[in-house]
Amino acid sequence: MKKQIRKADQAKIRQRKQIVLRMNFLFFSIFVLFSLLIFRLGYLQIVKGEEYSRELEKKEEIPVNTSVPRGRIFDRMGLVLVDNDPKNAITYTKMTSTTSAEMLKVAEQLAVLIEQETKRITPGDKRDFWILKNSKAAMEKVSIKEQERLEKDSKLSRTELQKKINRLTRKRITDEEIDSFTEEELEVLAIYREMMSGYAYSPQIVKSGNVTDEEFATVSERLGELPGVDTTTDWERVRKSDNTILGTTTSPIEGIPKSRENYFLARDYSGNDRVGKSYIEQYYEDLLKGQKTIVKNIKDRSGRVVETKTIRQGEPGKDLILTIDSELQQTLENIVSEKLLELKRGPNTGELDRAFLVMMNPNNGEVLSLVGKQVVTNPETGKLEIWDYAYGTFTAVHEAGSTVKMATLLTGYQENVVRIGETKIDEPIRIGGITKRSLFNQYSRVAVTDIEAIGKSSNVYMFRIAMAMADSNNSSEGAKRIRENAFDTFRQSFASFGLGTKTGIDLPGELGGLIGESNSIGILMDLSIGQFDTYTTLQLAQYVSTIANGGYRIAPKVLKEIREPSEDGEILGSLIQETEVNILNRIQSTDAEIDQVKRGMHYVYYAPKGTAPKIFDGKDYDGAGKTGTAQAFSSGKSTINLSHVGFAPYENPEIAYAVLVPNITTKPGDHTTGAQNKIIQQAVDEYFKLKVKRAKEEISTAAEQPIIQAPKKESEK
């Protein structure tokens, strides 16, 4: 009996040990699990807490597409060029929890209160609307058997399967069903499609611009009955100038361009946001767009928004002050337009259709005027009309002719193939069976200095520079050899002035010019007188500015200042930033060489044998310039381009200018009209007239101000 008891006790002892062991293991496991849990919580709170807080904040803070006005655009004198016109608008904001049925109900209520155009409704919109209105009938478009057959395709995911069913449903809606909507239902659809086109939490414009006062008031009174609907002020962009470089913006209907959708969406834009789509409006989008209101949505456990807090109020876009002088711009536009029409009405002008003029400050790159005009025939009236083509000043390239000769001469100085004051013989040169000569000297031998080579426009002087740079032996039948890098040397030097390369202007779409391909000495000679490569009018203006300011190539700019938004469009906001002068490079010429070239340009205007003599005779200012003529082709026809570059005053230049009139005539030899010189003569005169007029106005204004005397000291009383 004792033996049996002992065995039982032993079994119990073993059982207790096992229980204790298991309990210890269980407690240890619980300890380890709790330790891991505490460690994980500590890691999340201490190490990752800030990161998760930022992520949570990011999800809660939402940019709201409030209708903030874009920044205004002013000219350098403070005149508004682009403004905003306030318009009454009705908007709708949906939440993530908003259902299609709820939106349809609001659309039906709005349709009773406002009138909505139905022109923008598409057949696709009608199909979707028919499905929404006839959900049961729509489900029957694809039978259960068809759905089961589609489900057997294991390659299709649930999403892909549903898309396929939806496509079949839409395809089977008949034309009769699509056309079954009444006028009232179509108006509801027109409202509903606008409500659907926006993103969650982003107000979508349902109607803007043509909202009547009665509609605005009626909807405002019933906002409590129309969840998501609001009445607000929208803005319409208004251009007060026809200058195309101001650019354009998209409308709320257009929204952000599809081609740049990812770019804008990544920057918190909404699909219906207005953005700049060309020139200044596009280039300075980040400044003009304004800042959206940022709100924080507080949700309950079900995800329903219970409160919305404004984190940052929306702000209008920054105002831009341009370098453009709109009064000067308008005057120069009139000059170019009138001359272009006059020329077009003359003979041999079948290919003439444009003219350009650029005026800028050579010392800081500020563009005062960008004028480009096109002449077209109205197909209905048959009359000639002038269209603005300002962007052509930096996107249209043409042969410029002899206006590049200063760059050729300076390149010759740099390469030590000509010296300051050197005389060369101007005479016809026979190259490859072709005789090349100067226009002023067709047959004889004339000694010409470097100053006269510019002033009289000696082609042969430039030819000899090109031949020397190419190590070319000249004979009666042409060149025996040419240095291979002669073209590169010429073009690199020309580019340092701004010829054949982008100027760096703060506008999109600029072209650098067209570079021809050849290794012929004859073509190199043509290049030296501007008869081969092509340039824009703005490049010519930058090039002559580089000479005028003593050798510094400065990037042209159209933005002068950035300012805080003006409250009334009349008094400018406070200055934020003034754009800096951007010096791109300094040409490899000495001051003496540049001064010698300037003397040659002065000869053009003031020597009896200059190519534009007496252009500024009797004026209170002087200047220096260079005319140009180039043989060109248009539509397979031989034509003539005219050009002119210069600066004024001569000693302390305030303005540099360039004119280009391509394809002025199709008659060989008929290029002596001097049209480009007449444009410059009028344009420069108008600049100085305007300067004198403003100086008088300033004196008059100052004289009208009351004189405030300082109070007398006690000892003087």
Side-chain angles (χ1 to χ4, degrees):
M1 187 69 180
K2 287 182 180 180
K3 190 174 182 181
Q4 289 178 353
I5 292 172
R6 288 195 197 102
K7 286 181 179 180
D9 291 340
Q10 288 175 356
K12 289 180 181 179
I13 292 170
R14 283 196 300 272
Q15 188 177 12
R16 288 194 191 98
K17 287 181 178 180
Q18 289 177 354
I19 292 171
V20 171
L21 183 62
R22 290 174 181 172
M23 290 294 292
N24 288 337
F25 180 76
L26 177 62
F27 285 133
F28 179 75
S29 299
I30 293 171
F31 172 76
V32 171
L33 290 173
F34 269 101
S35 298
L36 290 172
L37 181 61
I38 292 169
F39 176 78
R40 179 62 177 170
L41 288 172
Y43 173 77
L44 292 175
Q45 289 183 344
I46 299 171
V47 180
K48 305 290 272 185
E50 187 176 348
E51 179 181 338
Y52 286 136
S53 295
R54 285 198 305 268
E55 187 68 21
L56 181 61
E57 195 75 11
K58 181 179 177 183
K59 289 180 179 178
E60 288 182 339
E61 292 186 6
I62 301 169
V64 174
N65 188 23
T66 49
S67 184
V68 293
R70 285 175 73 84
R72 294 182 178 92
I73 301 177
F74 297 82
D75 82 337
R76 67 184 299 112
M77 305 304 294
L79 297 175
V80 179
L81 300 177
V82 183
D83 206 344
N84 303 298
D85 189 14
K87 302 286 185 181
N88 286 337
I90 297 170
T91 65
Y92 176 78
T93 306
K94 64 181 178 182
M95 303 296 165
T96 51
S97 58
T98 305
T99 64
S100 299
E102 291 171 338
M103 293 176 66
L104 178 59
K105 183 180 178 181
V106 173
E108 290 171 342
Q109 292 174 291
L110 267 179
V112 177
L113 305 177
I114 66 174
E115 292 184 7
Q116 185 81 336
E117 289 284 345
T118 59
K119 295 177 181 178
R120 296 183 58 228
I121 296 174
T122 65
D125 294 330
K126 290 181 179 180
R127 286 189 176 89
D128 292 337
F129 196 58
W130 188 89
I131 293 172
L132 182 62
K133 297 277 288 184
N134 304 274
S135 56
K136 188 174 181 180
M139 291 175 62
E140 295 174 355
K141 292 289 183 181
V142 181
S143 67
I144 295 175
K145 287 185 178 181
E146 284 183 290
Q147 294 184 34
E148 290 174 349
R149 188 164 59 250
L150 291 172
E151 288 173 356
K152 291 179 181 178
D153 187 351
S154 58
K155 295 180 182 179
L156 292 176
S157 66
R158 293 301 304 175
T159 303
E160 291 170 335
L161 174 64
Q162 190 58 50
K163 285 182 179 179
K164 200 162 187 177
I165 293 172
N166 291 342
R167 281 196 296 269
L168 285 172
T169 301
R170 288 168 57 85
K171 188 176 180 181
R172 292 173 182 177
I173 298 173
T174 65
D175 292 340
E176 290 77 14
E177 290 170 328
I178 290 176
D179 296 332
S180 64
F181 296 116
T182 64
E183 287 297 323
E184 290 76 13
E185 288 176 318
L186 288 175
E187 192 172 18
V188 172
L189 169 55
I191 295 171
Y192 177 78
R193 73 184 300 277
E194 299 301 334
M195 294 165 61
M196 282 290 294
S197 60
Y199 296 95
Y201 307 112
S202 181
Q204 173 65 28
I205 292 175
V206 175
K207 187 175 182 180
S208 175
N210 57 347
V211 178
T212 66
D213 292 339
E214 184 180 351
E215 288 175 333
F216 192 83
T218 303
V219 174
S220 298
E221 291 171 359
R222 303 192 181 183
L223 292 180
E225 306 167 17
L226 302 167
V229 175
D230 196 7
T231 50
T232 185
T233 301
D234 190 25
W235 302 89
E236 182 179 337
R237 205 66 166 153
V238 178
R239 279 175 49 176
K240 300 189 176 183
S241 167
D242 293 331
N243 196 319
T244 51
I245 68 158
L246 295 173
T248 57
T249 61
T250 62
S251 66
I253 294 174
E254 293 174 277
I256 58 177
K258 294 296 181 185
S259 59
R260 304 185 68 199
E261 188 173 32
N262 292 336
Y263 171 86
F264 285 114
L265 292 180
R267 288 160 177 76
D268 289 331
Y269 280 76
S270 299
N272 61 320
D273 278 346
R274 283 163 283 204
V275 300
K277 61 180 180 180
S278 62
Y279 303 113
I280 290 174
E281 291 276 17
Q282 177 186 339
Y283 195 88
Y284 288 109
E285 168 66 21
D286 288 345
L287 293 172
L288 291 167
K289 68 177 181 178
Q291 298 293 328
K292 296 181 179 181
T293 296
I294 302 295
V295 302
K296 180 182 289 186
N297 290 320
I298 301 173
K299 305 176 184 178
D300 58 17
R301 292 183 178 181
S302 65
R304 184 172 61 88
V305 176
V306 294
E307 186 181 358
T308 299
K309 292 182 178 179
T310 299
I311 303 302
R312 188 187 70 195
Q313 287 288 354
E315 298 176 2
K318 300 294 185 278
D319 286 346
L320 304 184
I321 312 299
L322 303 187
T323 62
I324 301 291
D325 185 329
S326 58
E327 188 175 358
L328 177 66
Q329 172 80 19
Q330 186 60 59
T331 302
L332 301 193
E333 284 183 1
N334 294 339
I335 292 171
V336 173
S337 297
E338 289 171 8
K339 178 56 69 174
L340 186 56
L341 283 172
E342 176 191 327
L343 292 168
K344 187 64 178 177
R345 293 188 179 106
N348 310 310
T349 58
E351 297 303 310
L352 172 65
D353 70 342
R354 63 192 66 183
F356 305 103
L357 167 60
V358 174
M359 188 177 286
M360 60 188 288
N361 185 328
N363 305 301
N364 57 20
E366 292 185 358
V367 176
L368 304 176
S369 177
L370 280 176
V371 178
K373 295 296 176 181
Q374 270 188 315
V375 58
V376 297
T377 302
N378 188 310
E380 295 180 1
T381 65
K383 295 182 179 180
L384 295 177
E385 294 181 353
I386 294 292
W387 290 0
D388 192 78
Y389 189 26
Y391 61 89
T393 55
F394 54 90
T395 61
V397 294
H398 301 279
E399 294 89 346
S402 297
T403 45
V404 308
K405 286 178 178 175
M406 291 83 74
T408 298
L409 183 56
L410 287 168
T411 301
Y413 292 148
Q414 294 170 16
E415 296 298 314
N416 297 314
V417 298
V418 64
R419 299 184 307 277
I420 293 177
E422 183 174 338
T423 298
K424 294 182 182 293
I425 300 299
D426 186 297
E427 62 182 341
I429 297 177
R430 187 83 174 165
I431 293 290
I434 299 174
T435 301
K436 291 179 174 292
R437 53 172 61 91
S438 298
L439 188 63
F440 81 96
N441 176 34
Q442 296 286 305
Y443 305 106
S444 60
R445 300 181 79 249
V446 179
V448 179
T449 66
D450 50 356
I451 289 178
E452 292 174 321
I454 297 296
K456 295 181 179 181
S457 199
S458 171
N459 290 341
V460 175
Y461 200 102
M462 306 304 151
F463 293 159
R464 296 197 185 282
I465 291 174
M467 292 165 66
M469 286 178 58
D471 291 337
S472 172
N473 291 326
N474 172 240
S475 69
S476 61
E477 288 304 317
K480 299 298 183 183
R481 62 190 177 88
I482 179 172
R483 198 174 73 196
E484 292 183 0
N485 66 346
F487 275 91
D488 291 339
T489 302
F490 249 118
R491 283 170 175 151
Q492 287 170 8
S493 177
F494 276 29
S496 71
F497 292 91
L499 295 172
T501 187
K502 292 183 178 181
T503 65
I505 191 170
D506 49 342
L507 290 170
E510 182 184 14
L511 292 183
L514 296 179
I515 305 300
E517 293 184 8
S518 178
N519 197 34
S520 160
I521 181 61
I523 296 300
L524 184 67
M525 293 163 71
D526 289 342
L527 176 66
S528 72
I529 62 169
Q531 298 272 8
F532 190 51
D533 290 354
T534 61
Y535 315 110
T536 66
T537 314
L538 184 62
Q539 287 175 20
L540 294 175
Q542 185 185 52
Y543 148 66
V544 76
S545 293
T546 303
I547 295 172
N549 67 33
Y552 294 93
R553 177 174 167 242
I554 299 174
K557 60 182 179 180
V558 295
L559 179 62
K560 183 177 177 66
E561 297 171 354
I562 305 169
R563 288 183 174 266
E564 292 291 354
S566 168
E567 293 184 3
D568 56 7
E570 295 181 4
I571 300 175
L572 298 179
S574 58
L575 178 66
I576 298 175
Q577 181 182 337
E578 188 172 359
T579 54
E580 298 178 350
V581 177
N582 182 12
I583 299 175
L584 301 175
N585 60 268
R586 210 278 184 187
I587 60 173
Q588 297 177 0
S589 299
T590 66
D591 291 343
E593 291 167 347
I594 295 172
D595 288 341
Q596 187 75 347
V597 165
K598 287 182 177 180
R599 293 186 190 101
M601 296 175 69
H602 192 268
Y603 186 107
V604 170
Y605 287 170
Y606 297 100
K609 294 185 179 180
T611 57
K614 301 181 179 180
I615 192 171
F616 294 150
D617 271 10
K619 302 297 181 182
D620 295 332
Y621 53 86
D622 61 356
K626 181 72 188 80
T627 60
T629 305
Q631 295 178 345
F633 289 90
S634 176
S635 303
K637 299 175 184 178
S638 178
T639 63
I640 296 295
N641 297 347
L642 294 183
S643 62
H644 189 129
V645 299
F647 59 86
Y650 179 72
E651 291 296 338
N652 297 295
E654 297 176 20
I655 54 171
Y657 42 83
V659 165
L660 190 58
V661 187
N663 309 316
I664 193 169
T665 180
T666 55
K667 184 179 179 181
D670 181 19
H671 50 264
T672 58
T673 61
Q676 81 278 42
N677 301 342
K678 293 174 184 176
I679 291 174
I680 285 301
Q681 189 176 40
Q682 289 180 272
V684 175
D685 202 35
E686 289 298 332
Y687 169 81
F688 284 105
K689 281 182 181 178
L690 187 59
K691 179 182 176 183
V692 171
K693 173 190 148 188
R694 286 174 176 167
K696 289 180 179 178
E697 288 174 352
E698 286 183 10
I699 293 172
S700 175
T701 302
E704 291 174 1
Q705 298 297 321
I707 299 174
I708 302 175
Q709 297 182 344
K712 293 182 179 181
K713 296 179 182 178
E714 195 66 34
S715 59
E716 297 175 341
K717 292 181 179 179

